[in-house]
Amino acid sequence: MHDLRRQALESGKTVSKKAQSRQSSRASSRANSAPNSRVTSRNASRHGSDEEEGGNLSDGTAWSVNSIDEVLALEDSEQTPEQWSTELADRIEQLIDRKRSSVQGREESLAAYTRILTAHYAKEEISRKAAELVTAFLKSIKAESSEKETIFALKALAMTLVTIPSEAVYDNVSAPLKRITSDSGSKPTKVTAIHALGTCTIYGGASDDEILENMAYFLEIVSSDGHFVEAGDEGDVVTAALEEWGFLATHIEDLEDESEDAMEAFVEQLESSDPSVQIAAGENIALIYEKSYTPQEEDEEVSDDGEAMSDPEDESVPGAPKLVKRYTAYRRTDQLVHTLSSLASLSTRKLSKKDKKSLHSNFADILNSVENPTRGPRYQNAVSHETGKRYGSRMVVRIHQNGVMRIDKWWKLHRLKGLRRVLQGGFVGHYENNEVVFESLPIMITNDK
């Protein structure tokens, strides 16, 4: 398994100003999105994302998504295999047998179950009970007896499917997940349900048409600034929908039919005052531009005036295929470039130094990719004196001491972030041992010298 991972190769709108006066309705179409949502969206509250260090935690009176992730990220390193497998078996029985359980007891069992599955690859330990576990999780999700139980159940469901995917679970969970996203009065619950829906779509057996359906669902949330799911102008909810749209989009080969409406929505969200919303929208924009180019076919001829680019990673390789533009990602690229340039150099006292640094760094990357769609995140044009080549994409994930995973494409970054939202600190362990995770991100691991 470890050798395989080293040898593997790649497989591989918010409401517009014109629509601000329209009436809101959760079940309405984009044409009936909420009034003045763009104005109030600019004052949306912000919480640190799953990817940020030092994100806002609970003050003790309410549980945020980040504070729950903190609990689930606790180290399990002191447990021996026998200890954690025994505890897992006990927790599974407690979750399945609800007759004598209390809300607090289920919270503790769900948290422990998810913590163990995050820290250890436990496919063999849960395989025989997987169907019963999903049923138990759905009961907790539907009942929504407490915020913590509901969120832990949503995370347990996602973690279970990443451990042992199913071809049948999606049909049973999609409606309950969408229902709680709309009906729950808890913002952290809505956010977690959106992420769980994205995970269940990919690992629960959804068809391509169902993936597209959920991309449209997430886009509806984004287009209405959250009003579509009774979360008007909640930055965290909009960010979650943007992130899951991007994660699902990496599993669709051709985004041409989806790009027009999506680009309108994402460009609108660049005006948000919430950096998390802006960055998530920008990363989706970069992904759409990247996917508008595909490798030149072996017998395909590209005219001299055709739009073809060399992949930066292959520039020095004789005969390497060029990337050919298949469709126009956005008709007003010149205006978009201006907006992205402004965000890459934004100077305002309204943002913290950390937020400004994040905006500058991310939008410099996004701008570079919009102008040169073959360039991935953290691309550097500087030339190495040692190799004579451009440094290229410098984003890496370190695997133990010497190994590095290079994230040189936007689809890879979206997949990585999607997996890390579920696996948290257990990502590396699952990447090494869980074929499901490896197949989702089949990237060559190289030595860092």
Side-chain angles (χ1 to χ4, degrees):
M1 182 69 69
H2 294 75
D3 291 340
L4 175 65
R5 278 153 176 68
R6 290 189 174 277
Q7 296 171 6
L9 299 174
E10 296 178 26
S11 65
K13 62 187 163 200
T14 15
V15 180
S16 66
K17 292 181 176 65
K18 293 181 180 179
Q20 287 180 0
S21 63
R22 297 170 184 166
Q23 295 298 314
S24 65
S25 171
R26 180 174 62 82
S28 67
S29 66
R30 292 189 183 91
N32 292 321
S33 294
N36 299 319
S37 57
R38 172 63 52 216
V39 176
T40 48
S41 174
R42 288 174 180 164
N43 295 316
S45 62
R46 285 199 305 275
H47 297 283
S49 69
D50 288 347
E51 301 301 320
E52 293 176 343
E53 295 180 2
N56 294 341
L57 300 180
S58 169
D59 61 4
T61 60
W63 280 72
S64 69
V65 174
N66 283 336
S67 60
I68 286 182
D69 287 340
E70 189 82 359
V71 172
L72 299 181
L74 294 175
E75 289 291 336
D76 231 17
S77 58
E78 295 183 0
Q79 284 191 312
T80 65
E82 182 179 357
Q83 288 174 327
W84 68 255
S85 60
T86 299
E87 182 185 0
L88 179 59
D90 292 341
R91 296 299 186 180
I92 288 174
E93 292 305 316
Q94 292 166 6
L95 290 169
I96 292 174
D97 183 11
R98 294 171 57 93
K99 293 181 180 179
R100 300 177 183 178
S101 66
S102 64
V103 172
Q104 182 178 356
R106 290 193 296 272
E107 290 172 357
E108 292 174 355
S109 295
L110 286 164
Y113 171 88
T114 307
R115 171 176 51 79
I116 294 169
L117 256 65
T118 300
H120 308 283
Y121 179 48
K123 176 181 179 179
E124 184 176 331
E125 286 77 6
I126 70 171
S127 59
R128 294 182 180 180
K129 298 286 187 177
E132 294 176 86
L133 283 166
V134 170
T135 299
F137 300 151
L138 283 176
K139 288 180 179 179
S140 291
I141 292 167
K142 292 175 181 178
E144 201 173 359
S145 300
S146 75
E147 185 178 71
K148 283 199 286 186
E149 180 184 352
T150 308
I151 292 177
F152 282 140
L154 289 163
K155 288 182 174 289
L157 174 62
M159 192 64 240
T160 299
L161 288 178
V162 170
T163 300
I164 181 168
S166 166
E167 292 297 323
V169 166
Y170 175 78
D171 290 338
N172 296 324
V173 304
S174 59
L177 292 181
K178 289 181 180 179
R179 189 178 305 118
I180 198 169
T181 300
S182 297
D183 297 346
S184 177
S186 159
K187 182 180 69 173
T189 298
K190 289 177 182 289
V191 169
T192 310
I194 288 170
H195 287 312
L197 178 59
T199 302
C200 291
T201 301
I202 298 305
Y203 302 108
S207 65
D208 285 349
D209 286 343
E210 288 167 327
I211 293 175
L212 291 170
E213 177 184 310
N214 283 338
M215 287 172 63
Y217 173 75
F218 292 137
L219 192 64
E220 195 75 66
I221 297 173
V222 174
S223 301
S224 67
D225 280 339
H227 286 273
F228 184 64
V229 291
E230 304 296 342
D233 309 310
E234 293 289 358
D236 288 355
V237 173
V238 175
T239 298
L242 284 163
E243 290 172 341
E244 293 307 325
W245 188 97
F247 180 64
L248 297 191
T250 66
H251 294 83
I252 298 298
E253 184 175 353
D254 185 352
L255 286 180
E256 182 174 6
D257 292 340
E258 285 66 44
S259 63
E260 184 173 355
D261 288 345
M263 283 297 300
E264 291 293 336
F266 302 153
V267 170
E268 285 284 345
Q269 289 295 358
L270 296 178
E271 299 179 16
S272 172
S273 67
D274 187 329
S276 295
V277 171
Q278 292 174 297
I279 291 170
E283 290 178 344
N284 284 349
I285 288 170
L287 177 67
I288 290 174
Y289 271 83
E290 177 179 271
K291 288 180 74 68
S292 69
Y293 282 74
T294 63
Q296 180 179 357
E297 300 293 337
E298 187 174 342
D299 57 350
E300 180 181 9
E301 295 184 3
V302 179
S303 61
D304 294 337
D305 57 350
E307 295 192 51
M309 295 183 174
S310 296
D311 187 324
E313 300 299 320
D314 296 332
E315 284 179 342
S316 60
V317 180
K322 292 183 178 295
L323 296 175
V324 181
K325 182 178 179 179
R326 303 302 181 183
Y327 58 88
T328 299
Y330 188 55
R331 299 183 186 283
R332 299 187 294 278
T333 295
D334 54 341
Q335 296 179 19
L336 176 59
V337 167
H338 176 74
T339 301
L340 296 175
S341 298
S342 298
L343 289 168
S345 58
L346 183 67
S347 178
T348 176
R349 294 182 179 180
K350 295 181 180 180
L351 295 178
S352 67
K353 289 183 179 179
K354 180 179 179 181
D355 283 341
K356 281 194 286 188
K357 181 179 179 181
S358 181
L359 280 176
H360 292 171
S361 174
N362 281 282
F363 278 102
D365 288 349
I366 294 163
L367 173 62
N368 196 4
S369 293
V370 167
E371 292 181 320
N372 303 277
T374 60
R375 296 178 180 177
R378 299 293 187 271
Y379 187 90
Q380 290 189 6
N381 292 310
V383 176
S384 168
H385 293 297
E386 296 180 359
T387 65
K389 301 179 182 178
R390 291 190 180 94
Y391 283 108
S393 293
R394 303 296 298 274
M395 181 177 286
V396 298
V397 175
R398 296 200 172 275
I399 307 296
H400 300 308
Q401 293 184 347
N402 298 321
V404 295
M405 178 194 302
R406 300 197 178 278
I407 308 299
D408 53 3
K409 298 291 183 183
W410 287 100
W411 73 263
K412 295 179 184 178
L413 181 60
H414 280 275
R415 294 270 183 100
L416 173 65
K417 287 189 171 185
L419 290 167
R420 285 185 62 189
R421 283 193 291 271
V422 180
L423 297 169
Q424 299 291 318
F427 171 78
V428 171
H430 277 268
Y431 187 81
E432 291 183 316
N433 299 296
N434 186 342
E435 290 186 19
V436 175
V437 174
F438 175 68
E439 290 171 1
S440 297
L441 198 60
I443 299 174
M444 177 182 289
I445 297 176
T446 59
N447 289 326
D448 183 21
K449 295 182 179 180

